[in-house]
mmCIF file with all atom_site columns, all heavy atoms in Angstrom:
data_model
loop_
_atom_site.group_PDB
_atom_site.id
_atom_site.type_symbol
_atom_site.label_atom_id
_atom_site.label_alt_id
_atom_site.label_comp_id
_atom_site.label_asym_id
_atom_site.label_entity_id
_atom_site.label_seq_id
_atom_site.pdbx_PDB_ins_code
_atom_site.Cartn_x
_atom_site.Cartn_y
_atom_site.Cartn_z
_atom_site.occupancy
_atom_site.B_iso_or_equiv
_atom_site.pdbx_formal_charge
_atom_site.auth_seq_id
_atom_site.auth_comp_id
_atom_site.auth_asym_id
_atom_site.auth_atom_id
_atom_site.pdbx_PDB_model_num
ATOM 1  N N   . PHE A 1 58 ? 10.546 11.089 2.301  1.00 98.00 ? 58 PHE A N   1
ATOM 2  C CA  . PHE A 1 58 ? 10.413 11.950 3.508  1.00 98.00 ? 58 PHE A CA  1
ATOM 3  C C   . PHE A 1 58 ? 10.117 11.066 4.723  1.00 98.00 ? 58 PHE A C   1
ATOM 4  O O   . PHE A 1 58 ? 9.187  10.157 4.695  1.00 98.00 ? 58 PHE A O   1
ATOM 5  C CB  . PHE A 1 58 ? 9.216  12.916 3.314  1.00 98.00 ? 58 PHE A CB  1
ATOM 6  C CG  . PHE A 1 58 ? 8.856  13.651 4.522  1.00 98.00 ? 58 PHE A CG  1
ATOM 7  C CD1 . PHE A 1 58 ? 9.649  14.802 4.907  1.00 98.00 ? 58 PHE A CD1 1
ATOM 8  C CD2 . PHE A 1 58 ? 7.760  13.373 5.310  1.00 98.00 ? 58 PHE A CD2 1
ATOM 9  C CE1 . PHE A 1 58 ? 9.475  15.479 6.064  1.00 98.00 ? 58 PHE A CE1 1
ATOM 10 C CE2 . PHE A 1 58 ? 7.497  14.047 6.501  1.00 98.00 ? 58 PHE A CE2 1
ATOM 11 C CZ  . PHE A 1 58 ? 8.372  15.095 6.873  1.00 98.00 ? 58 PHE A CZ  1
ATOM 12 N N   . MET A 1 74 ? 0.790  17.917 8.856  1.00 98.00 ? 74 MET A N   1
ATOM 13 C CA  . MET A 1 74 ? 2.089  18.190 8.198  1.00 98.00 ? 74 MET A CA  1
ATOM 14 C C   . MET A 1 74 ? 2.212  17.374 6.953  1.00 98.00 ? 74 MET A C   1
ATOM 15 O O   . MET A 1 74 ? 2.677  17.857 5.937  1.00 98.00 ? 74 MET A O   1
ATOM 16 C CB  . MET A 1 74 ? 3.147  17.811 9.247  1.00 98.00 ? 74 MET A CB  1
ATOM 17 C CG  . MET A 1 74 ? 4.582  17.878 8.833  1.00 98.00 ? 74 MET A CG  1
ATOM 18 S SD  . MET A 1 74 ? 5.152  16.402 7.996  1.00 98.00 ? 74 MET A SD  1
ATOM 19 C CE  . MET A 1 74 ? 4.920  15.154 9.323  1.00 98.00 ? 74 MET A CE  1
ATOM 20 N N   . LEU A 1 75 ? 1.859  16.035 6.946  1.00 98.00 ? 75 LEU A N   1
ATOM 21 C CA  . LEU A 1 75 ? 1.909  15.219 5.735  1.00 98.00 ? 75 LEU A CA  1
ATOM 22 C C   . LEU A 1 75 ? 0.966  15.709 4.630  1.00 98.00 ? 75 LEU A C   1
ATOM 23 O O   . LEU A 1 75 ? 1.417  15.810 3.494  1.00 98.00 ? 75 LEU A O   1
ATOM 24 C CB  . LEU A 1 75 ? 1.545  13.767 6.099  1.00 98.00 ? 75 LEU A CB  1
ATOM 25 C CG  . LEU A 1 75 ? 2.536  13.011 6.982  1.00 98.00 ? 75 LEU A CG  1
ATOM 26 C CD1 . LEU A 1 75 ? 1.935  11.606 7.322  1.00 98.00 ? 75 LEU A CD1 1
ATOM 27 C CD2 . LEU A 1 75 ? 3.866  12.892 6.317  1.00 98.00 ? 75 LEU A CD2 1
ATOM 28 N N   . LYS A 1 76 ? -0.220 16.101 5.061  1.00 98.00 ? 76 LYS A N   1
ATOM 29 C CA  . LYS A 1 76 ? -1.174 16.646 4.029  1.00 98.00 ? 76 LYS A CA  1
ATOM 30 C C   . LYS A 1 76 ? -0.595 17.751 3.264  1.00 98.00 ? 76 LYS A C   1
ATOM 31 O O   . LYS A 1 76 ? -0.741 17.839 2.050  1.00 98.00 ? 76 LYS A O   1
ATOM 32 C CB  . LYS A 1 76 ? -2.441 17.043 4.821  1.00 98.00 ? 76 LYS A CB  1
ATOM 33 C CG  . LYS A 1 76 ? -3.543 17.581 3.911  1.00 98.00 ? 76 LYS A CG  1
ATOM 34 C CD  . LYS A 1 76 ? -4.828 17.775 4.715  1.00 98.00 ? 76 LYS A CD  1
ATOM 35 C CE  . LYS A 1 76 ? -5.887 18.532 4.022  1.00 98.00 ? 76 LYS A CE  1
ATOM 36 N NZ  . LYS A 1 76 ? -5.975 19.878 4.173  1.00 98.00 ? 76 LYS A NZ  1
ATOM 37 N N   . GLU A 1 77 ? 0.045  18.697 3.988  1.00 98.00 ? 77 GLU A N   1
ATOM 38 C CA  . GLU A 1 77 ? 0.665  19.810 3.338  1.00 98.00 ? 77 GLU A CA  1
ATOM 39 C C   . GLU A 1 77 ? 1.753  19.359 2.320  1.00 98.00 ? 77 GLU A C   1
ATOM 40 O O   . GLU A 1 77 ? 1.765  19.833 1.190  1.00 98.00 ? 77 GLU A O   1
ATOM 41 C CB  . GLU A 1 77 ? 1.267  20.721 4.402  1.00 98.00 ? 77 GLU A CB  1
ATOM 42 C CG  . GLU A 1 77 ? 1.518  22.155 3.953  1.00 98.00 ? 77 GLU A CG  1
ATOM 43 C CD  . GLU A 1 77 ? 2.088  22.997 5.041  1.00 98.00 ? 77 GLU A CD  1
ATOM 44 O OE1 . GLU A 1 77 ? 1.414  23.019 6.138  1.00 98.00 ? 77 GLU A OE1 1
ATOM 45 O OE2 . GLU A 1 77 ? 3.118  23.636 4.829  1.00 98.00 ? 77 GLU A OE2 1
ATOM 46 N N   . LYS A 1 78 ? 2.620  18.505 2.740  1.00 98.00 ? 78 LYS A N   1
ATOM 47 C CA  . LYS A 1 78 ? 3.667  17.978 1.856  1.00 98.00 ? 78 LYS A CA  1
ATOM 48 C C   . LYS A 1 78 ? 3.076  17.299 0.653  1.00 98.00 ? 78 LYS A C   1
ATOM 49 O O   . LYS A 1 78 ? 3.541  17.466 -0.472 1.00 98.00 ? 78 LYS A O   1
ATOM 50 C CB  . LYS A 1 78 ? 4.561  16.939 2.592  1.00 98.00 ? 78 LYS A CB  1
ATOM 51 C CG  . LYS A 1 78 ? 5.309  17.546 3.707  1.00 98.00 ? 78 LYS A CG  1
ATOM 52 C CD  . LYS A 1 78 ? 6.692  16.897 3.780  1.00 98.00 ? 78 LYS A CD  1
ATOM 53 C CE  . LYS A 1 78 ? 7.607  17.543 4.871  1.00 98.00 ? 78 LYS A CE  1
ATOM 54 N NZ  . LYS A 1 78 ? 8.023  18.868 4.425  1.00 98.00 ? 78 LYS A NZ  1
ATOM 55 N N   . LEU A 1 79 ? 2.015  16.543 0.832  1.00 98.00 ? 79 LEU A N   1
ATOM 56 C CA  . LEU A 1 79 ? 1.424  15.778 -0.250 1.00 98.00 ? 79 LEU A CA  1
ATOM 57 C C   . LEU A 1 79 ? 0.739  16.778 -1.222 1.00 98.00 ? 79 LEU A C   1
ATOM 58 O O   . LEU A 1 79 ? 0.898  16.682 -2.448 1.00 98.00 ? 79 LEU A O   1
ATOM 59 C CB  . LEU A 1 79 ? 0.406  14.747 0.290  1.00 98.00 ? 79 LEU A CB  1
ATOM 60 C CG  . LEU A 1 79 ? 1.019  13.631 1.194  1.00 98.00 ? 79 LEU A CG  1
ATOM 61 C CD1 . LEU A 1 79 ? -0.021 12.948 2.009  1.00 98.00 ? 79 LEU A CD1 1
ATOM 62 C CD2 . LEU A 1 79 ? 1.817  12.659 0.269  1.00 98.00 ? 79 LEU A CD2 1
ATOM 63 N N   . GLU A 1 80 ? 0.032  17.732 -0.689 1.00 98.00 ? 80 GLU A N   1
ATOM 64 C CA  . GLU A 1 80 ? -0.688 18.737 -1.540 1.00 98.00 ? 80 GLU A CA  1
ATOM 65 C C   . GLU A 1 80 ? 0.324  19.570 -2.311 1.00 98.00 ? 80 GLU A C   1
ATOM 66 O O   . GLU A 1 80 ? 0.133  19.924 -3.472 1.00 98.00 ? 80 GLU A O   1
ATOM 67 C CB  . GLU A 1 80 ? -1.645 19.568 -0.740 1.00 98.00 ? 80 GLU A CB  1
ATOM 68 C CG  . GLU A 1 80 ? -2.842 18.726 -0.318 1.00 98.00 ? 80 GLU A CG  1
ATOM 69 C CD  . GLU A 1 80 ? -3.916 19.387 0.556  1.00 98.00 ? 80 GLU A CD  1
ATOM 70 O OE1 . GLU A 1 80 ? -3.637 20.514 1.075  1.00 98.00 ? 80 GLU A OE1 1
ATOM 71 O OE2 . GLU A 1 80 ? -4.988 18.832 0.742  1.00 98.00 ? 80 GLU A OE2 1
ATOM 72 N N   . GLU A 1 81 ? 1.408  19.987 -1.647 1.00 98.00 ? 81 GLU A N   1
ATOM 73 C CA  . GLU A 1 81 ? 2.494  20.736 -2.348 1.00 98.00 ? 81 GLU A CA  1
ATOM 74 C C   . GLU A 1 81 ? 2.942  20.016 -3.612 1.00 98.00 ? 81 GLU A C   1
ATOM 75 O O   . GLU A 1 81 ? 3.321  20.699 -4.566 1.00 98.00 ? 81 GLU A O   1
ATOM 76 C CB  . GLU A 1 81 ? 3.748  20.843 -1.412 1.00 98.00 ? 81 GLU A CB  1
ATOM 77 C CG  . GLU A 1 81 ? 3.773  22.109 -0.508 1.00 98.00 ? 81 GLU A CG  1
ATOM 78 C CD  . GLU A 1 81 ? 4.849  21.899 0.544  1.00 98.00 ? 81 GLU A CD  1
ATOM 79 O OE1 . GLU A 1 81 ? 5.784  21.099 0.387  1.00 98.00 ? 81 GLU A OE1 1
ATOM 80 O OE2 . GLU A 1 81 ? 4.732  22.607 1.567  1.00 98.00 ? 81 GLU A OE2 1
ATOM 81 N N   . ARG A 1 82 ? 3.007  18.710 -3.529 1.00 98.00 ? 82 ARG A N   1
ATOM 82 C CA  . ARG A 1 82 ? 3.544  17.931 -4.716 1.00 98.00 ? 82 ARG A CA  1
ATOM 83 C C   . ARG A 1 82 ? 2.421  17.418 -5.651 1.00 98.00 ? 82 ARG A C   1
ATOM 84 O O   . ARG A 1 82 ? 2.656  16.708 -6.554 1.00 98.00 ? 82 ARG A O   1
ATOM 85 C CB  . ARG A 1 82 ? 4.342  16.735 -4.157 1.00 98.00 ? 82 ARG A CB  1
ATOM 86 C CG  . ARG A 1 82 ? 5.629  17.133 -3.592 1.00 98.00 ? 82 ARG A CG  1
ATOM 87 C CD  . ARG A 1 82 ? 6.205  16.096 -2.640 1.00 98.00 ? 82 ARG A CD  1
ATOM 88 N NE  . ARG A 1 82 ? 7.492  16.565 -2.081 1.00 98.00 ? 82 ARG A NE  1
ATOM 89 C CZ  . ARG A 1 82 ? 7.571  17.459 -1.041 1.00 98.00 ? 82 ARG A CZ  1
ATOM 90 N NH1 . ARG A 1 82 ? 6.460  17.984 -0.453 1.00 98.00 ? 82 ARG A NH1 1
ATOM 91 N NH2 . ARG A 1 82 ? 8.750  17.861 -0.609 1.00 98.00 ? 82 ARG A NH2 1
#
Side-chain angles (χ1 to χ4, degrees):
F58 173 75
M74 174 276 297
L75 291 176
K76 178 172 174 267
E77 199 177 308
K78 294 215 173 288
L79 297 163
E80 287 178 349
E81 270 168 19
R82 288 160 181 78

